[in-house]
Amino acid sequence: MRAVILLSLLVAFISTINCQWSTVQQTQRGLPVQQISLVKTIGFTPNTLNNRFILQNDISRSRIPFPQCISSEQSQVLLNPSTLQKLLHQKLQEEERKLKQERVRNDGLKNNDIMDFDAIQLRADALNGALVARAATKVSAEIMSQLGCETNSTLTERIDRFLRRVRLPPSLCAFNTNPDCSGFTRFRTITGVCNNLERPYEGSSQTAYTRLLPAAYDDGISKPRSRSVLGGPLPACRQISVTMSSKPVFDTSFNNLFVGYGQFLVHDISLATPVTDSGRTPVSSCSCSSQDHDMCTIMEISSNDPFMAGQKCMTMPATAQAFTDQQCTLGVKDQMNGNSHYIDLSVTYGSTKKTAVGLRAGRDGFLKTAKKSWSKFEIPPGQREGKSCTDSTETQKCFAGGDSRLMENVLLSGIQAQWLRIHNLFAKKMAEIHPEWKNNDDVLYDETKKISSALHQRYTYDFWLPILIGKQATQQYTGDSGLFSRYDPNVRGVVINEAVTAALRLHTLVRDLYTRCTPQAKLIDQVWLHDILAKSKLAYDGANNGVDSLLCGALYDYGFAGDANFGQDIHHRLFETTTKTGEVKRHDIVAINICRAREHGIPGYNAFRELCGLRRASRFEDFADTMGPANAAKLQSIYDHPEDVDLFIGMNHENHVPGGLVGPVSACIIGTQFRNLKYGDRLFYKHEGQFTPEQLTAINKYTYNCFICHSTDIEKVALNPFKPPNDQTNPLGLCSECPAFDFNSWR
């Protein structure tokens, strides 16, 4: 029955494809324009689809340069609507079969960590959007293969332009009709839908990242970047990682709270959604022998690896796919952002209706919390289903939150706890000044959420970003001259693939040891990062004040310097586990960052030098304008050509911009990202019309140190909480002297 329904949906393919393939231009410099004239739509009988359509691939024939290959006689047969219908139907069936097999496997392993892909707010969930997008990419790759097209990473943009002429049937597209946004002009939707009223799905959860440069896939479609421009293979991800040092030094200009808040912020705007089975649990079959790069990312490990000898590979699910610009067409692979793209505290409130409703208390605008006798403040509630930590028990459950990575480390959990506490404190105050709202849970929730999100945006742009890219670059990309800023609907408030896959992967700053201290800032102890990674034990350590002890320690701990050194715990011992047979399994964040960027089709470092106004290097010595000679020589010892250097690795070898922790290419990408997320966000807190001048003044006066004082069991906090305390430049202030948030302008 499902096949019959699917076939009826595909019938619409004829009308959507007919006459869309009239002309294809050859854009290679110096070559004449090529045109193709496809055959007219042929007759279609649904019964013809009952026979499985199989294309014959003669791998012995010579490849034909693109786009000449699409002007052949075979293209006129392959690219007619009826044939394309059959091919799409075949790929959908194949991909759905794989996901059902994954579901059986996960059931056997009792894996039930369901990703939240419910019927999204204001959007129809037509089949599984990621499944349809992946099938469309498979069709695209099959077309190029069957036409004998000679493709490579330099042709991706032109191939994509050609393929995107073919739209999928409307019934297969979740973005076919625009939602009614009339009731969502003042408050954010949970999903981010209706932020841009002209393009209402832009920036919403479960939509594709955008790009600064065209993707670079080996086949021009979807195969991860793996070839040197000189023809040989790129060095393996783990092989590159091993050449990076694990002897970091401290940087006294920022503290560990700055690092933790950065992780919280990146989780707020981005979730590289993993491929899931038919029950929406991440796939678990990835192994060293996995071949489907659209399902799994495999990182090979050398037999003589100094830290992982005996472990053949590292694996992880590939990132789920999504349609570029919410246009359901054939085309080059793009990846899905599972969270709302905006800086909106979705990490706290959720990015889907199901998650958001599950986190609300259902009264007085409150969020759910848990109360423990040993804690001055409440803590996040326990999960009712799924398992985001490895040591959960009935009395010490993993925390629930708006993002599934809440328990990646307990410091991150503590930052989440702060925002929960502030939300409920503010909701209570709003009810006091507006007694008429006492029984209106939705109004109190939305009004409070709007203020909390504004504070999060302010602390990000006024405190966090200037430390990362420097005050000069922050002003260049995001600065304003007056009290208010202005929204620009032409700016795309969408997360950039290159930013979250490389530039904002700030793992070189992550330290190995985390301090815990009392509310009076007396040292309790130091714990290893691997003791708080995906573990809840210390979050419930009542004798030592739970998450608040780590929040206290983060104010005093220096961060590691921004360079090519990485802490041991994330470099060689990430998520370390021991199997039932005694085999130790480890991961490596550096290798993961390199391989994920290749999987996402991120071009090399050299391309972004040119994008950011630097000269494109033809020799490694040409990198001298962004890094020292020793670092350039190190890259030459790893790679065969400057074009081969991975973006993440190149950026971590750069000299820092003035007053920042990153180099010029990093600052360029990060600055562009935060400019877009400011001016492309209709509901950004500083934009005209979001708050009155008096309300905006109250938000600006509520300092981050007082926010911490009002949400953490601590007695003193430095003036700039992202920097270590210093008697002369960053003195400690008593929390007892912190003024409360001024709600008078909300009366």
Side-chain angles (χ1 to χ4, degrees):
M1 176 61 70
R2 181 175 177 82
V4 173
I5 295 173
L6 186 58
L7 294 183
S8 67
L9 297 176
L10 291 172
V11 171
F13 223 3
I14 290 179
S15 60
T16 59
I17 297 175
N18 189 26
C19 298
Q20 289 185 12
W21 299 74
S22 58
T23 303
V24 176
Q25 293 187 344
Q26 166 60 281
T27 58
Q28 280 187 321
R29 189 172 300 170
L31 293 179
V33 172
Q34 301 286 332
Q35 293 185 339
I36 60 172
S37 177
L38 299 182
V39 295
K40 295 181 179 179
T41 305
I42 62 174
F44 170 72
T45 304
N47 290 337
T48 62
L49 289 183
N50 291 332
N51 296 320
R52 180 175 171 81
F53 179 75
I54 301 177
L55 290 168
Q56 301 300 316
N57 186 14
D58 181 4
I59 60 174
S60 65
R61 71 173 184 266
S62 60
R63 313 302 288 179
I64 307 170
F66 179 87
Q68 288 94 325
C69 59
I70 60 176
S71 62
S72 65
E73 290 184 7
Q74 185 180 0
S75 70
Q76 299 190 36
V77 176
L78 180 61
L79 299 178
N80 77 71
S82 180
T83 304
L84 287 171
Q85 279 183 268
K86 297 173 186 177
L87 184 54
L88 178 60
H89 175 232
Q90 174 186 327
K91 296 302 180 183
L92 279 169
Q93 285 189 324
E94 289 175 357
E95 294 305 307
E96 190 171 37
R97 190 180 306 115
K98 291 178 188 176
L99 299 190
K100 288 180 178 178
Q101 292 171 349
E102 290 286 343
R103 179 67 258 165
V104 172
R105 175 183 172 83
N106 276 331
D107 282 341
L109 296 172
K110 294 183 170 54
N111 288 343
N112 194 31
D113 191 10
I114 298 173
M115 301 296 293
D116 188 3
F117 294 133
D118 60 339
I120 304 171
Q121 185 173 358
L122 303 181
R123 187 191 307 165
D125 190 12
L127 293 180
N128 179 327
L131 167 66
V132 178
R134 190 164 63 252
T137 302
K138 297 285 189 182
V139 171
S140 301
E142 189 72 33
I143 289 172
M144 292 294 104
S145 175
Q146 292 302 319
L147 292 179
C149 294
E150 182 179 352
T151 59
N152 57 58
S153 60
T154 66
L155 297 171
T156 299
E157 183 177 23
R158 292 161 59 199
I159 292 172
D160 191 45
R161 193 182 308 125
F162 167 71
L163 291 168
R164 290 186 67 185
R165 293 169 176 262
V166 181
R167 290 185 176 275
L168 271 61
S171 300
L172 289 177
C173 184
F175 312 102
N176 185 46
T177 57
N178 283 337
D180 179 7
C181 296
S182 58
F184 298 96
T185 56
R186 184 162 180 262
F187 297 115
R188 296 179 184 275
T189 62
I190 283 295
T191 63
V193 169
C194 292
N195 189 301
N196 188 310
L197 300 178
E198 297 174 10
R199 302 181 300 277
Y201 292 122
E202 185 173 281
S204 62
S205 59
Q206 299 174 36
T207 59
Y209 297 109
T210 190
R211 295 179 184 271
L212 292 175
L213 289 176
Y217 293 114
D218 273 1
D219 61 348
I221 302 287
S222 64
K223 287 186 178 179
R225 178 173 167 265
S226 68
R227 308 297 299 177
S228 165
V229 295
L230 299 181
L234 290 174
C237 301
R238 175 62 184 171
Q239 176 187 341
I240 298 171
S241 175
V242 171
T243 67
M244 302 296 113
S245 175
S246 288
K247 298 178 180 179
V249 296
F250 290 117
D251 185 332
T252 61
S253 68
F254 65 96
N255 61 21
N256 206 30
L257 181 62
F258 170 84
V259 180
Y261 201 93
Q263 184 182 24
F264 181 83
L265 171 62
V266 172
H267 285 192
D268 183 28
I269 63 174
S270 172
L271 169 63
T273 308
V275 174
T276 59
D277 63 25
S278 58
R280 296 173 179 176
T281 293
V283 297
S284 60
S285 66
C286 297
S287 68
C288 297
S289 59
S290 297
Q291 298 294 317
D292 190 342
H293 54 78
D294 290 327
M295 292 279 282
C296 301
T297 296
I298 313 301
M299 293 155 279
E300 297 177 352
I301 300 175
S302 171
S303 59
N304 61 356
D305 189 289
F307 300 94
M308 299 184 184
Q311 184 176 334
K312 294 182 179 180
C313 73
M314 295 173 282
T315 67
M316 64 180 181
T319 307
Q321 294 183 35
F323 287 110
T324 305
D325 299 333
Q326 297 81 61
Q327 300 294 316
C328 299
T329 67
L330 299 186
V332 169
K333 179 168 70 174
D334 261 331
Q335 288 75 28
M336 176 186 288
N337 182 359
N339 286 350
S340 158
H341 295 239
Y342 301 102
I343 301 173
D344 58 2
L345 280 179
S346 61
V347 68
T348 297
Y349 295 106
S351 285
T352 67
K353 286 180 66 177
K354 180 180 178 181
T355 295
V357 170
L359 294 172
R360 292 177 61 174
R363 63 177 182 85
D364 303 325
F366 288 166
L367 293 172
K368 289 178 181 176
T369 56
K371 180 63 180 174
K372 298 295 180 181
S373 59
W374 45 264
S375 178
K376 176 181 177 181
F377 291 97
E378 294 176 320
I379 61 175
Q383 284 182 308
R384 291 189 299 174
E385 58 184 24
K387 193 173 182 180
S388 60
C389 58
T390 60
D391 60 348
S392 174
T393 66
E394 279 300 313
T395 57
Q396 296 184 359
K397 293 184 177 181
C398 311
F399 292 150
D403 182 90
S404 59
R405 300 159 293 179
L406 171 61
M407 301 237 34
E408 273 196 1
N409 66 72
V410 179
L411 175 59
L412 184 66
S413 307
I415 296 172
Q416 165 77 344
Q418 290 176 321
W419 286 103
L420 285 176
R421 295 163 179 176
I422 284 293
H423 175 95
N424 285 353
L425 173 64
F426 283 14
K428 182 179 179 181
K429 293 293 184 182
M430 290 293 280
E432 290 175 359
I433 64 175
H434 282 284
E436 72 276 15
W437 293 350
K438 179 63 178 176
N439 296 318
N440 197 326
D441 179 48
D442 287 342
V443 170
L444 286 170
Y445 172 83
D446 284 331
E447 292 284 355
T448 303
K449 179 171 172 282
K450 187 178 180 72
I451 298 173
S452 295
S453 298
L455 290 172
H456 177 41
Q457 290 178 333
R458 179 178 174 242
Y459 301 152
T460 295
Y461 283 85
D462 290 358
F463 290 89
W464 187 83
L465 190 60
I467 294 176
L468 181 64
I469 66 173
K471 292 181 180 179
Q472 179 180 335
T474 300
Q475 179 64 29
Q476 174 188 343
Y477 286 100
T478 69
D480 296 300
S481 56
L483 179 64
F484 289 103
S485 54
R486 182 168 295 179
Y487 167 59
D488 184 350
N490 296 314
V491 174
R492 301 190 65 215
V494 179
V495 171
I496 298 167
N497 210 327
E498 297 94 338
V500 293
T501 310
L504 286 169
R505 305 292 285 176
L506 302 170
H507 295 109
T508 182
L509 309 180
V510 178
R511 54 184 287 143
D512 284 323
L513 281 169
Y514 283 56
T515 295
R516 296 196 296 171
C517 57
T518 68
Q520 299 77 32
K522 293 182 178 179
L523 175 68
I524 297 173
D525 59 13
Q526 288 189 315
V527 296
W528 289 102
L529 176 58
H530 63 254
D531 289 328
I532 61 172
L533 281 176
K535 295 176 182 176
S536 64
K537 180 180 178 180
L538 294 185
Y540 288 95
D541 183 4
N544 291 301
N545 216 20
V547 298
D548 291 78
S549 64
L550 282 158
L551 289 167
C552 172
L555 294 168
Y556 295 89
D557 281 340
Y558 300 139
F560 280 162
D563 53 26
N565 286 281
F566 298 87
Q568 284 271 4
D569 271 19
I570 62 170
H571 198 179
H572 305 300
R573 298 189 61 183
L574 184 66
F575 303 131
E576 181 177 289
T577 58
T578 303
T579 66
K580 294 179 180 179
T581 60
E583 183 182 6
V584 177
K585 294 284 188 181
R586 294 170 172 168
H587 283 78
D588 163 15
I589 197 64
V590 180
I592 288 173
N593 290 346
I594 298 168
C595 267
R596 177 170 284 160
R598 292 178 180 181
E599 176 213 329
H600 284 212
I602 304 300
Y605 169 70
N606 210 13
F608 291 93
R609 281 175 51 89
E610 185 175 54
L611 176 72
C612 294
L614 297 165
R615 182 164 59 94
R616 195 154 187 154
S618 58
R619 306 173 305 152
F620 284 95
E621 291 82 359
D622 295 337
F623 287 157
D625 55 352
T626 58
M627 64 186 69
N631 280 350
K634 182 179 179 181
L635 294 180
Q636 186 171 13
S637 71
I638 299 170
Y639 296 95
D640 291 337
H641 192 278
E643 290 290 333
D644 297 342
V645 177
D646 293 282
L647 177 59
F648 175 77
I649 294 299
M651 289 189 300
N652 276 288
H653 285 80
E654 290 185 318
N655 298 326
H656 294 176
V657 296
L661 307 178
V662 297
V665 174
S666 290
C668 166
I669 296 173
I670 294 169
T672 301
Q673 177 66 90
F674 282 91
R675 179 190 64 200
N676 292 356
L677 291 181
K678 176 178 180 177
Y679 297 108
D681 179 359
R682 178 173 60 85
L683 298 165
F684 188 79
Y685 85 104
K686 285 191 69 176
H687 290 337
E688 295 174 339
Q690 293 307 306
F691 293 98
T692 67
E694 295 77 17
Q695 289 172 339
L696 186 56
T697 298
I699 290 169
N700 288 334
K701 284 185 175 180
Y702 192 60
T703 58
Y704 185 41
N705 58 312
C706 287
F707 167 94
I708 292 175
C709 282
H710 296 151
S711 61
T712 314
D713 189 4
I714 197 167
E715 294 184 358
K716 294 181 181 180
V717 179
L719 185 63
N720 186 340
F722 288 142
K723 292 176 174 286
N726 182 287
D727 290 342
Q728 284 73 43
T729 60
N730 196 33
L732 289 165
L734 289 171
C735 284
S736 59
E737 297 178 358
C738 262
F741 186 87
D742 183 3
F743 284 95
N744 284 321
S745 53
W746 276 266
R747 292 184 183 276

